[in-house]
Amino acid sequence: MKILIVEDEKILRDSLVEGLRLKGYAVDIAADGEDADDKAFCENYDLIILDLNLPKMDGFTVLENFREENLDVPVLILSARDGIDDKVKGLDLGANDYLTKPFHFAELEARVRSLLRRKTVIENTVLSSGALCFDTVTRAVTVAGNPVSLTMKETALLEYLLLHKGRVIKLEELIEHVWDINADTFSNSVRVHMSSLRRKLKAQVGYDPVTNIIGEGYVIREEPKA
Ligand code: CA
């Protein structure tokens, strides 16, 4: 899941980046409204966290542009403006949620999870495929109740496959949603993480639950291949 953080206060921005990366998200940043506008239309974000008081272009204008251009990415406004008028305006302009500063990171993260679930129309906090379960709150992976130890990247790959269960996911799409702008996105590196994930899952599940369809992409399946 890839998130764009639009925030001009460096200290807050850095702490958001660090906190969300530790939770396994791919995170890009924009320090002003114009940069946010550029990145949002170039990259494929799963969620945008948007400050309102920004240099160059304020957050309301940024949001207005998104919606006018039919960019339907979920937007969470994170602002020191706590007046009801600003909240109403933000939501009317098409924000999906509004959180005022100061805030607790745990609450921000819960709202991020909720918005990402809504985006994929999955209400349950636990994603599963056969005996394989992924808890989106604790980010723990289990097979028939037994914990599986995965790296953050492996977990992020698995999460994306589970969220799109039944659909073949192209390698490019995985890169777009699981790696951030600055990451080494050579497809080989993705393949390395993917094969390590498959090896670990296979050891627990008893068969490889991820199928690679040559030339098309990856899909997760509940049953062993016939
Ligand atoms: Ca600001």
Side-chain angles (χ1 to χ4, degrees), residues 124-144:
N124 200 327
T125 58
V126 178
L127 306 173
S128 67
S129 174
L132 177 63
C133 283
F134 173 64
D135 186 323
T136 60
V137 177
T138 61
R139 303 197 68 76
V141 178
T142 54
V143 171

Side-chain angles (χ1 to χ4, degrees), residues 7-9 51 53:
E7 174 61 66
D8 59 323
E9 290 159 56
D51 184 21
N53 298 327

Side-chain angles (χ1 to χ4, degrees), residues 6-9 12 31 51-55 78-80 101:
V6 187
E7 174 61 66
D8 59 323
E9 290 159 56
L12 174 58
D51 184 21
L52 290 179
N53 298 327
L54 290 165
L78 183 61
S79 174
K101 300 171 187 170

Side-chain angles (χ1 to χ4, degrees), residues 138-195:
T138 61
R139 303 197 68 76
V141 178
T142 54
V143 171
N146 299 314
V148 185
S149 174
L150 300 179
T151 65
M152 279 201 297
K153 278 291 174 240
E154 290 160 2
T155 306
L157 284 170
L158 177 63
E159 179 180 29
Y160 199 81
L161 290 171
L162 284 171
L163 280 168
H164 301 275
K165 201 163 71 171
R167 182 159 76 77
V168 180
I169 312 290
K170 282 186 165 44
L171 192 64
E172 295 74 26
E173 185 177 340
L174 282 171
I175 293 172
E176 275 179 7
H177 290 270
V178 179
W179 269 260
D180 57 51
I181 274 181
N182 302 310
D184 166 20
T185 54
F186 288 111
S187 56
N188 273 341
S189 124
V190 183
R191 289 200 175 91
V192 169
H193 290 283
M194 182 62 90
S195 67

